[in-house]
Amino acid sequence: MSVLAEVSGNVTAIGYGLAAIGPGIGVGIIFGQGVQAIARQPEAYGLIRQNMLLGFVLTEALALIGLVAPFIFANI
């Protein structure tokens, strides 16, 4: 007698959950290193903050792509 495990429901939620791990780690690294850089050179606050926010935006774009991709490629 064999018992087969069946996954029911939307499996893309699992894929998005896995895809969100990378950007989550990236955001933590960006802000951690940014705070450390500002602590070392307070006079460069503006430049460091600008680059930190740019990195944050690009990293979050990856998370949004991970959210949208299953809907785009669902029918292929």
Side-chain angles (χ1 to χ4, degrees), residues 40-63:
R40 289 182 180 200
Q41 285 187 316
E43 66 275 3
Y45 173 76
L47 180 63
I48 294 169
R49 181 176 175 264
Q50 179 182 6
N51 289 332
M52 190 169 55
L53 291 177
L54 179 63
F56 170 72
V57 168
L58 293 174
T59 304
E60 283 299 314
L62 291 176

Side-chain angles (χ1 to χ4, degrees), residues 31-41 48:
F31 283 105
Q33 296 295 322
V35 168
Q36 185 178 14
I38 291 170
R40 289 182 180 200
Q41 285 187 316
I48 294 169

